Amino acid sequence: MSNKVPEITLIFWVIKILSTTVGETGADYLAVHVGLGTAVTGGITACLLIGSLSLQLRTHRYVPWIYWLSVVLLSVVGTQITDALTDGMDISLYASTAAFSVILAVVFALWHRSEGTLSIHTIVTTRREWFYWAAILFTFALGTAAGDLATEALGLGFNLGVWVFGVAIAIIAIAWRLGADPILTFWLAYILTRPLGASLGDLLSQSRANGGLGLGTIATSLIFLAVIAVLVAGLSAAAGRRKVTIEPA
């Protein structure tokens, strides 16, 4: 197999942040505004996620629309896992943040022990891809818990949260440019894009009375999904042109 995940570019990070916002607003919309409830919403998104990951695992190369569909659905499921623990089981955000940190560390430890690397540039076997997607799921769950802990439990608020998490990611990017370990900085930034996207989603969707811009969860989700679709379509077209160029007619 060729590498099954995309190269890390600016477009990658833009789509990643947008997908985390959709995970936040989309889960809230289905569970609350549509009235499906947490259990039904979780069941639907879990089935969709299983389908998308099945497609992803059967391919032998990076296919943009399959990959990013899986990421968006993982974002929703990761959000729902944390929300179920917090709202459904009354587990504190301190405990869930600590628990997901340990689980993610275990996933990375097992991945490195099995493969000898955590590089995302060599996802060329099914086993590495399973480790990759497990790590992605728990980065979303951890990012949700840590983001809610900062914005709600610690009173940071989603308005200030956008700036705080954005600055934190910028610092990580500067550290990477100055020679910090690329694998460590990538995964740290990946985790932090979750609370950044969630704070951005809340800022856009919440009412003006609550400090937001009042777009609502429907409009915010649709706008971000449309932008994701356009960007992924562009990536798919570019990938198709490269394939035609490389392979002889």
Side-chain angles (χ1 to χ4, degrees), residues 219-233:
T220 301
S221 299
L222 290 177
I223 291 171
F224 278 42
L225 280 173
V227 175
I228 291 173
V230 170
L231 293 176
V232 171

Side-chain angles (χ1 to χ4, degrees), residues 187-213:
W187 286 111
L188 287 175
Y190 204 98
I191 292 170
L192 286 175
T193 54
R194 176 61 187 85
L196 172 63
S199 297
L200 180 61
D202 287 337
L203 177 63
L204 294 173
S205 63
Q206 293 297 318
S207 66
R208 295 183 182 275
N210 292 326
L213 298 180

Side-chain angles (χ1 to χ4, degrees), residues 53-67:
L53 283 180
S54 297
L55 288 175
Q56 170 67 24
L57 290 167
R58 289 176 182 174
T59 63
H60 295 283
R61 60 185 177 85
Y62 163 59
V63 180
W65 76 268
I66 298 177
Y67 173 88

Side-chain angles (χ1 to χ4, degrees), residues 89-113:
M89 303 178 65
D90 201 26
I91 296 175
S92 75
L93 290 169
Y94 293 94
S96 58
T97 299
F100 287 131
S101 297
V102 172
I103 293 172
L104 185 59
V106 170
V107 170
F108 283 139
L110 293 174
W111 182 356
H112 191 272
R113 180 179 179 180

Side-chain angles (χ1 to χ4, degrees), residues 39-177:
V40 175
T41 301
I44 292 173
T45 53
C47 290
L48 292 174
L49 176 59
I50 291 171
S52 67
L53 283 180
S54 297
L55 288 175
Q56 170 67 24
L57 290 167
R58 289 176 182 174
T59 63
H60 295 283
R61 60 185 177 85
Y62 163 59
V63 180
W65 76 268
I66 298 177
Y67 173 88
W68 286 111
L69 175 62
S70 300
V71 171
V72 170
L73 290 171
L74 276 169
S75 175
V76 177
V77 171
T79 299
Q80 291 173 326
I81 290 173
T82 301
D83 289 346
L85 293 176
T86 304
D87 301 330
M89 303 178 65
D90 201 26
I91 296 175
S92 75
L93 290 169
Y94 293 94
S96 58
T97 299
F100 287 131
S101 297
V102 172
I103 293 172
L104 185 59
V106 170
V107 170
F108 283 139
L110 293 174
W111 182 356
H112 191 272
R113 180 179 179 180
S114 173
E115 303 298 319
T117 179
L118 297 177
S119 174
I120 61 167
H121 302 295
T122 56
I123 308 298
V124 294
T125 68
T126 301
R127 183 166 61 182
R128 289 187 182 185
E129 192 172 8
W130 274 113
F131 279 121
Y132 175 84
W133 289 113
I136 296 298
L137 173 61
F138 288 112
T139 59
F140 278 121
L142 173 58
T144 302
D148 289 347
L149 175 63
T151 57
E152 297 176 14
L154 300 180
L156 191 64
F158 49 80
N159 201 336
L160 183 58
V162 171
W163 289 100
V164 170
F165 295 122
V167 169
I169 293 173
I171 292 172
I172 292 172
I174 293 172
W176 168 72
R177 294 290 294 179

